[in-house]
C-alpha cells in the first residue's frame, strides 16, 4: 500500500514540478509566476518585444535545458536580502521549514542507527497468536517488542536524547528570530504604528464629543507626550461612493487609452444597464462628467458625516511625540475601570481590521464565549467524516459488512490504491473549507488586526487538527483496524491491543504525508488555479493596467491555514520518532521540498498584506512544545500497556522538563513580541502629522451590532492633524509640557 501511494505521489510531484519548469518560462505566463516583481516595478512583460510567436511561446531552446535553475535561484538570495525584499514575516515563515530539518535530520540518523535495528531484531509480531492484524512495516516499530521487554530502555534513552536536542534547536531558533525581530524594528524607517495607540471603549460624555473627550483625557494624563488623535467614523454611503468612483475612473482610463490609439474614432456608449441599451453618449465626456459629480457628492457626504455626532464611534487612534510615550500608554491601564479606555499598540495601517474597532467590551466577551462553544461542537461533529475516512483505510471490515464487494476488494491493484492513496486524499478534501470557517469565527471574536486574526485562526486550526486528524485517526482507525480482535478478546486485553495498535497507524499518516506534503507542495509551486484564472480574466475582463494587476492576484502566505499544517508534521515526527521511526524520512522530504518551494514563492510570487515583525513566532514555538509534550504523554501511555511500569516511571520527568523549558523561553524571549522596551523607545521623535490620516484613503469598518459600517476618514477628522482640535476651535492654549509641531498644514 505504501509503495503504491509512494509511486502515485512521487509521479504526481515530479509531474507538477516538470510542468511548472516548462510553463514558467513561457512569456504568456510571466505575470503568473513573477507577479511580485511586476508590483515592485522592476520587471517588464517579455510580450512587448519580439515577433508574434515569441510573445506567447519561449523559442529559446537553451532555457529548456536549464528548466530546473529555479531551485538554486530560490536558495541563492541571502536572508538579509530576503527580509528586505519580502519582509520579516515571510522570511521567518520559511525558517519554520528549516527548523523542521534541523530537528528531524539528526533525529532520523539516530533513530535508524539505534531504534530500527532494536525493533527489527525483536521479531515479536511474527510469533503473535492473538489474531492481531499488522503490516510488514510494523516490524520496524516499537510494536515488535514483546511485553515487558528490556529493550524499552533503549527507547526511553532515545526519548531523552530527542527531547534535549529539540530543546537546543528551539531555544537557539527562538533566540535568533528574536534578534532578527529587534534588528528589523530598529532598522526600519519610522512607522506610524510605532507612535500610535488604538483606544477603544471610550466612555460617553454628555458635555463633550468623542474627539473632545479623547483630547482632554490624554492632554491631562499624558500631557508630556500626547500629540494628536483621530476618531473613527461611521459612513456607509461615503464608502460606496468612493468604490463607485474607482470603477468609473478605471473605465475612463480605458477609453482614454482607446482614444490615444485611434484619435479619429468616435467612442460612443449607451447609458443603460451593462451598456446594452439607453441613450448614446460620448464615452470620455460621460465618464468625466459622472466622476466630477461623484467628487461633489463625496465632499457633501464627508461633511455630513463629520457634522453628525451619531456617526462618531467610541474608538480613536492616538499619536504621541515619542515611542516612549506610546509604550507607556499602550502597556498601562488608563483608569480604575478596566472595561473603558482600553489601549493597545495600533496595528500598522495595512494590518488594521476595521470591522472590529468599535465592539463594546461586554459584547466582545459574549462573542468569544459563543465562538468557544461553536469550536467545541465543530471539532466534535467533525469526528464523523474522520471515522468514515478511517473505515475506507481498512478494507477487511468493509468486506465483512458488504460481502458482495469481496471480488473487487481482493484484487491487489484496487486494494492497494484504495488503502494507500484514497484515505489521504479524502482527508485533505474534508479539510479544504475548514480554514474559511475558522477565520470567520475569529472575525466574530472581535480581533482588531489581520495578523491577530491569522494567529487566532492558527491556534484553532492546530487544536482541530490535533483532535480530529491525529487523535481521531488514531482512535477511530485503531477501532476499525482491530475490530475482530476487540470482539473476541477479554476486556482486560483491550488496552494492550490499543497500545500495540497505535504505532500501526503510521501507515495511514505516511500516505497522508505523501499526498499533502509531496504532491500538495509540488502543486503549490505550479499555481494551477491562479494560472487558469489569470488567462480567463486577461482574455475577457482586463481593460487597463489596473485590471491586469488585479488579474495577477499574487496572493499572500495564509498563515492561519498553512502554519497549523506544518505543525501536524512536527507532531507526527515527534510522536513517531521513538514509536515508528520509518515515518521520519517522509517528513524530512516534506520539510526540504516545502522550504525550497516556499522560498521561491515569497521571492517571486506572494505579496504580503501586512508586516507584523514575526509576531506569530511565540505561537509557533508554543505549538511545537505542545507537540513534544503530547509525544511524551503518548509514549508513557503506550509503555504502560506493555508491562513496563518501571520504564514508564522513568519517562515522567520529561513532560515536566518540557513545560519548564517552555516557561524559560516564554520569560526570556516573548516580551519582545508583545511589549516595547521603554529603553528602546526613550528617544523623543516628533511626528509632523497624524500617521493614520491620509487625504484620500478611506477605510471601512463594520459595526456588527448595528449591522452598519464604520469609516476612518483621512484628513477630515474630528481632531486637527497635529493638535487634535476642531478646525473652528480657538488656537493655542496648549497644555503644559505638550509639544506642537510648527508649520503643520491645515487639513
Amino acid at each position: 500500500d505504501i509503495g503504491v501511494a509512494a509511486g502515485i505521489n512521487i509521479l504526481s510531484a515530479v509531474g507538477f514540478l516538470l510542468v511548472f519548469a516548462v510553463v514558467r518560462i513561457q512569456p504568456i505566463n510571466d505575470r503568473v509566476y513573477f507577479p511580485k516583481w511586476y508590483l515592485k516595478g522592476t520587471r517588464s512583460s517579455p510580450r512587448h518585444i519580439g515577433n508574434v510567436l515569441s510573445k506567447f511561446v519561449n523559442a529559446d531552446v537553451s532555457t529548456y535545458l536549464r528548466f530546473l535553475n529555479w531551485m538554486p535561484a530560490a536558495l541563492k538570495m541571502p536572508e538579509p536580502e530576503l527580509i528586505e525584499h519580502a519582509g520579516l514575516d515571510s522570511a521567518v515563515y520559511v525558517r519554520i521549514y528549516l527548523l523542521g530539518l534541523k530537528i528531524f535530520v539528526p533525529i532520523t540518523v539516530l533513530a535508524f542507527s539505534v531504534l530500527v535495528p532494536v525493533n527489527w531484531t525483536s521479531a515479536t509480531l511474527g510469533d503473535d497468536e492473538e489474531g492481531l492484524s499488522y503490516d510488514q512495516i510494523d516490524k520496524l516499530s516499537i510494536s515488535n517488542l514483546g511485553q515487558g521487554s528490556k529493550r524499552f530502555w533503549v527507547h526511553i534513552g532515545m526519548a531523552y536524547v530527542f527531547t534535549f536536542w529539540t530543546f537546543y534547536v528551539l531555544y537557539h531558533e527562538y533566540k535568533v528570530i528574536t534578534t532578527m525581530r529587534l534588528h528589523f524594528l530598529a532598522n526600519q524607517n519610522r512607522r506610524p504604528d510605532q507612535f500610535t495607540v488604538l483606544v477603544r471603549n471610550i466612555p460617553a460624555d454628555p458635555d463633550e464629543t468623542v474627539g473632545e473627550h479623547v483630547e482632554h483625557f490624554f492632554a491631562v494624563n499624558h500631557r508630556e507626550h500626547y500629540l494628536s488623535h483621530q476618531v473613527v467614523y461611521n459612513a456607509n454611503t461615503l464608502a460606496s461612493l468612493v468604490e463607485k468612483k474607482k470603477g468609473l475612473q478605471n473605465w475612463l482610463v480605458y477609453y482614454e487609452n482607446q482614444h490615444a490609439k485611434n484619435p479619429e474614432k468616435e467612442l460612443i456608449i449607451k447609458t443603460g444597464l451593462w451598456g446594452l441599451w439607453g441613450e448614446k453618449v460620448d464615452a470620455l465626456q460621460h465618464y468625466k462628467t459622472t466622476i466630477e459629480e461623484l467628487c461633489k457628492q463625496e465632499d457633501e457626504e464627508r461633511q455630513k458625516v463629520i457634522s453628525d455626532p451619531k456617526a462618531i464611534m467610541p474608538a480613536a487612534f492616538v499619536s504621541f511625540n515619542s515611542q516612549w510615550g506610546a509604550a507607556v500608554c499602550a502597556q498601562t491601564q488608563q483608569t480604575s475601570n478596566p472595561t473603558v479606555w482600553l489601549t493597545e499598540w495600533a496595528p500598522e495601517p495595512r494590518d488594521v481590521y476595521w470591522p472590529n474597532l468599535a465592539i463594546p467590551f461586554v459584547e466582545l466577551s459574549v462573542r468569544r464565549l459563543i465562538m468557544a462553544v461553536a469550536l467545541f461542537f465543530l471539532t466534535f461533529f467533525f469526528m464523523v467524516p474522520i471515522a468514515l475516512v478511517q473505515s475506507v483505510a481498512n478494507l477487511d471490515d468493509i468486506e465483512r459488512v458488504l460481502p458482495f464487494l469481496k471480488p473487487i476488494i481482493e484484487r491487489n491493484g484496487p486494494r492497494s490504491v484504495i488503502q494507500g492513496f484514497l484515505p489521504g486524499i479524502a482527508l485533505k478534501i474534508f479539510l479544504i473549507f475548514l480554514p474559511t470557517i475558522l477565520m470567520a469565527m475569529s472575525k466574530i471574536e472581535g480581533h482588531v488586526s489581520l495578523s491577530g486574526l491569522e494567529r487566532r485562526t492558527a491556534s484553532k486550526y492546530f487544536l482541530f487538527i490535533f483532535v480530529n486528524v491525529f487523535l481521531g485517526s488514531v482512535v477511530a482507525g485503531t477501532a476499525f483496524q482491530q475490530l475482530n480482535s476487540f470482539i473476541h478478546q477479554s476486556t482486560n486485553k483491550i488496552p494492550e491491543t490499543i497500545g500495540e495498535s497505535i504505532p500501526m497507524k503510521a501507515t495511514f499518516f505516511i500516505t497522508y504525508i505523501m499526498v499533502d506534503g509531496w504532491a500538495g507542495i509540488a502543486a503549490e509551486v505550479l499555481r494551477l488555479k491562479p494560472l487558469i484564472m489569470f488567462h480567463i480574466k486577461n482574455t475577457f475582463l482586463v481593460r487597463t493596467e489596473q485590471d491586469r494587476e488585479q488579474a495577477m492576484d499574487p496572493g499572500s502566505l495564509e498563515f492561519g491555514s498553512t502554519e497549523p499544517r506544518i505543525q501536524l508534521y512536527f507532531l507526527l515526527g515527534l510522536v513517531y520518532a521513538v514509536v515508528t521511526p520509518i515515518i521520519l524520512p517522509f517528513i524530512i522530504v516534506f520539510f526540504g521540498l516545502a522550504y525550497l518551494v516556499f522560498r521561491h514563492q515569497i521571492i517571486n510570487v506572494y505579496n504580503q498584506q501586512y508586516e507584523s515583525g514575526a509576531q506569530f513566532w511565540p505561537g509557533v514555538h508554543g505549538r511545537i512544545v505542545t507537540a513534544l509534550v503530547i509525544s511524551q504523554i503518548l509514549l508513557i501511555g503506550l509503555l504502560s500497556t506493555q508491562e513496563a511500569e518501571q520504564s514508564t516511571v522513568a519517562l515522567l520527568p520529561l513532560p515536566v522538563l518540557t513545560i519548564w523549558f517552555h516557561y524559560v523561553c516564554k520569560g526570556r524571549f516573548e516580551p519582545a513580541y508583545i511589549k516595547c522596551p521603554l529603553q528602546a523607545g526613550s528617544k523623543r521623535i516628533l511626528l509632523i502629522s497624524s500617521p493614520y490620516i491620509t487625504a484620500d484613503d478611506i477605510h471601512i469598518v463594520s459595526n456588527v451590532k448595528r449591522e452598519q459600517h464604520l469609516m476612518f476618514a483621512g484628513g477630515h477628522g474630528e481632531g486637527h492633524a497635529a493638535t487634535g482640535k476642531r478646525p473652528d476651535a480657538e488656537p493655542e492654549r496648549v497644555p503644559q509640557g505638550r509639544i506642537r509641531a510648527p508649520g503643520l498644514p491645515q487639513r
Side-chain angles (χ1 to χ4, degrees):
D1 300 340
I2 291 180
V4 172
I8 293 174
N9 287 287
I10 289 174
L11 289 176
S12 300
V14 172
F16 286 138
L17 294 176
L18 289 177
V19 172
F20 165 71
V22 174
V23 299
R24 69 181 287 270
I25 60 177
Q26 308 306 319
I28 195 174
N29 300 325
D30 201 63
R31 287 180 177 268
V32 178
Y33 294 108
F34 301 96
K36 192 164 190 173
W37 299 102
Y38 280 93
L39 295 176
K40 284 179 172 286
T42 58
R43 190 181 182 96
S44 58
S45 177
R47 298 181 63 188
H48 293 162
I49 57 177
N51 55 39
V52 177
L53 180 62
S54 63
K55 290 182 178 180
F56 296 92
V57 180
N58 187 351
D60 187 356
V61 179
S62 62
T63 57
Y64 291 91
L65 301 177
R66 303 189 302 269
F67 67 95
L68 293 179
N69 62 353
W70 67 272
M71 292 185 177
L75 301 174
K76 187 176 181 180
M77 182 179 287
E79 192 167 62
E81 185 179 344
L82 182 66
I83 294 174
E84 183 179 355
H85 171 70
L88 186 63
D89 282 344
S90 298
V92 171
Y93 176 83
V94 295
R95 283 187 70 100
I96 302 176
Y97 296 103
L98 188 60
L99 175 64
L101 293 175
K102 291 178 181 178
I103 291 176
F104 290 115
V105 169
I107 286 179
T108 302
V109 173
L110 285 173
F112 273 76
S113 301
V114 179
L115 294 180
V116 170
V118 170
N119 295 337
W120 179 261
T121 56
S122 181
T124 301
L125 285 179
D127 301 328
D128 188 86
E129 298 179 357
E130 293 286 339
L132 194 67
S133 63
Y134 65 92
D135 300 322
Q136 291 298 317
I137 200 172
D138 295 324
K139 292 183 178 181
L140 301 176
S141 74
I142 199 172
S143 298
N144 205 24
L145 274 62
Q147 296 283 337
S149 174
K150 298 296 183 182
R151 298 190 180 198
F152 284 124
W153 287 104
V154 178
H155 295 75
I156 292 172
M158 296 309 295
Y160 273 90
V161 172
F162 295 166
T163 297
F164 289 135
W165 171 249
T166 306
F167 285 175
Y168 171 77
V169 176
L170 282 177
Y171 185 88
H172 181 265
E173 192 71 10
Y174 212 150
K175 183 178 180 180
V176 169
I177 291 177
T178 301
T179 303
M180 290 169 58
R181 169 179 165 82
L182 295 176
H183 185 267
F184 176 79
L185 296 177
N187 286 275
Q188 276 190 311
N189 294 327
R190 295 298 174 179
R191 300 189 324 188
D193 49 291
Q194 295 174 340
F195 300 87
T196 306
V197 170
L198 172 62
V199 184
R200 295 186 294 163
N201 278 40
I202 300 172
D205 190 302
D207 301 323
E208 294 181 323
T209 64
V210 173
E212 293 171 340
H213 199 188
V214 170
E215 179 183 6
H216 292 166
F217 181 87
F218 286 96
V220 171
N221 295 285
H222 299 270
R223 62 176 62 188
E224 295 183 357
H225 303 287
Y226 167 65
L227 180 66
S228 65
H229 73 274
Q230 176 62 53
V231 297
V232 179
Y233 290 88
N234 181 327
N236 287 341
T237 305
L238 181 58
S240 62
L241 290 175
V242 171
E243 291 301 317
K244 184 178 180 180
K245 187 178 75 172
K246 287 181 180 179
L248 293 175
Q249 287 174 334
N250 195 37
W251 276 107
L252 177 60
V253 171
Y254 168 73
Y255 283 109
E256 286 177 343
N257 293 338
Q258 296 296 315
H259 179 71
K261 293 178 182 178
N262 190 358
E264 298 180 357
K265 182 180 179 181
E266 188 177 7
L267 301 175
I268 302 297
I269 61 171
K270 296 180 180 180
T271 58
L273 181 64
W274 296 340
L276 299 177
W277 57 75
E279 181 184 357
K280 294 183 178 181
V281 296
D282 179 77
L284 289 175
Q285 187 61 38
H286 170 72
Y287 283 109
K288 288 179 180 178
T289 303
T290 306
I291 290 173
E292 290 177 359
E293 293 177 356
L294 280 176
C295 289
K296 294 179 182 178
Q297 294 179 29
E298 276 186 17
D299 292 335
E300 294 175 358
E301 183 64 25
R302 182 178 288 109
Q303 294 301 323
K304 178 181 177 181
V305 170
I306 293 174
S307 60
D308 184 7
K310 296 181 179 179
I312 303 176
M313 296 294 104
F317 293 94
V318 179
S319 296
F320 296 82
N321 56 31
S322 70
Q323 287 180 283
W324 193 93
V328 170
C329 181
Q331 296 166 193
T332 55
Q333 182 175 316
Q334 302 303 308
T335 66
S336 58
N337 184 355
T339 65
V340 297
W341 295 106
L342 303 179
T343 57
E344 59 184 288
W345 280 106
E348 67 159 331
R350 297 178 301 167
D351 192 21
V352 178
Y353 185 66
W354 301 94
N356 288 345
L357 290 186
I359 300 176
F361 180 84
V362 175
E363 182 180 333
L364 206 61
S365 303
V366 173
R367 286 179 176 217
R368 293 180 179 177
L369 175 61
I370 294 174
M371 287 302 101
V373 175
L375 179 63
F376 171 79
F377 282 103
L378 177 65
T379 305
F380 178 78
F381 285 112
F382 208 84
M383 277 287 187
V384 176
I386 295 294
L388 293 176
V389 169
Q390 290 303 323
S391 67
V392 174
N394 186 45
L395 295 180
D396 293 333
D397 296 328
I398 296 179
E399 185 178 330
R400 283 193 292 270
V401 177
L402 304 173
F404 62 88
L405 295 177
K406 184 176 180 179
I408 300 177
I409 291 175
E410 289 186 348
R411 294 179 183 178
N412 291 333
R415 182 185 185 93
S416 297
V417 171
I418 293 174
Q419 291 199 167
F421 180 72
L422 288 185
I425 196 70
L427 181 58
K428 187 170 176 61
I429 292 173
F430 276 126
L431 297 176
I432 287 178
F433 301 103
L434 182 63
T436 303
I437 298 173
L438 297 179
M439 175 59 77
M441 294 173 66
S442 297
K443 290 179 179 179
I444 295 175
E445 285 181 341
H447 302 282
V448 297
S449 66
L450 296 175
S451 58
L453 289 171
E454 296 274 11
R455 294 194 298 272
R456 182 58 183 163
T457 301
S459 299
K460 291 188 179 74
Y461 201 2
F462 175 73
L463 175 64
F464 188 92
I465 285 178
F466 168 66
V467 173
N468 281 287
V469 178
F470 181 73
L471 288 183
S473 296
V474 168
V475 175
T478 299
F480 281 112
Q481 188 171 351
Q482 310 302 338
L483 185 60
N484 182 61
S485 182
F486 286 164
I487 294 175
H488 295 92
Q489 278 184 345
S490 60
T491 306
N492 60 348
K493 289 287 185 179
I494 291 179
E496 296 179 6
T497 303
I498 294 178
E500 291 180 343
S501 302
I502 288 177
M504 298 178 188
K505 290 310 298 177
T507 303
F508 166 76
F509 287 121
I510 288 174
T511 62
Y512 179 78
I513 290 170
M514 288 188 288
V515 171
D516 182 70
W518 293 10
I521 293 298
E524 159 69 27
V525 75
L526 179 58
R527 305 193 75 223
L528 186 59
K529 179 182 175 181
L531 177 66
I532 296 173
M533 294 304 298
F534 170 76
H535 288 300
I536 293 176
K537 292 179 180 179
N538 194 43
T539 303
F540 299 104
L541 301 177
V542 169
R543 302 180 302 271
T544 64
E545 191 63 28
Q546 178 183 346
D547 291 337
R548 187 168 286 106
E549 288 186 1
Q550 292 177 352
M552 286 192 300
D553 187 24
S556 60
L557 290 171
E558 297 179 354
F559 176 80
S561 59
T562 56
E563 190 271 337
R565 284 173 51 199
I566 309 174
Q567 295 298 334
L568 176 61
Y569 293 94
F570 279 103
L571 176 63
L572 294 177
L574 293 171
V575 167
Y576 283 101
V578 177
V579 175
T580 310
I582 192 63
I583 200 175
L584 294 175
F586 297 89
I587 292 176
I588 289 176
V589 172
F590 160 75
F591 279 117
L593 181 61
Y595 177 71
L596 178 68
V597 166
F598 279 100
R599 214 172 195 275
H600 171 272
Q601 297 296 79
I602 68 171
I603 291 174
N604 299 301
V605 180
Y606 290 136
N607 187 39
Q608 286 303 102
Q609 292 179 282
Y610 58 83
E611 177 59 57
S612 68
Q615 204 167 6
F616 58 81
W617 180 255
V620 174
H621 177 272
R623 285 186 280 276
I624 296 176
V625 171
T626 301
L628 189 58
V629 173
I630 291 170
S631 68
Q632 294 159 356
I633 293 174
L634 291 179
L635 182 59
I636 292 173
L638 176 61
L639 294 183
S640 67
T641 67
Q642 302 297 313
E643 297 179 2
E645 291 79 5
Q646 295 180 352
S647 305
T648 304
V649 173
L651 285 171
L652 290 178
L654 272 183
V656 178
L657 288 173
T658 305
I659 295 173
W660 170 81
F661 167 78
H662 172 65
Y663 279 100
V664 168
C665 292
K666 184 181 179 70
R668 172 65 180 84
F669 300 114
E670 190 172 330
Y673 296 83
I674 57 178
K675 297 179 180 178
C676 176
L678 295 182
Q679 184 180 16
S682 60
K683 185 176 180 180
R684 299 171 65 88
I685 300 179
L686 186 64
L687 292 180
I688 62 172
S689 65
S690 181
Y692 281 80
I693 298 177
T694 56
D696 302 317
D697 294 339
I698 296 179
H699 308 280
I700 309 304
V701 185
S702 69
N703 185 344
V704 181
K705 182 177 180 181
R706 295 185 177 182
E707 297 183 353
Q708 296 179 353
H709 292 80
L710 309 178
M711 187 271 309
F712 176 61
H716 300 274
E718 172 77 8
H720 184 268
T723 64
K725 298 181 179 181
R726 297 192 306 273
D728 57 346
E730 295 183 5
E732 302 308 319
R733 294 201 311 188
V734 181
Q736 183 178 1
R738 180 171 163 199
I739 298 177
R740 289 190 60 199
L744 285 172
Q746 299 292 325
R747 299 205 282 180

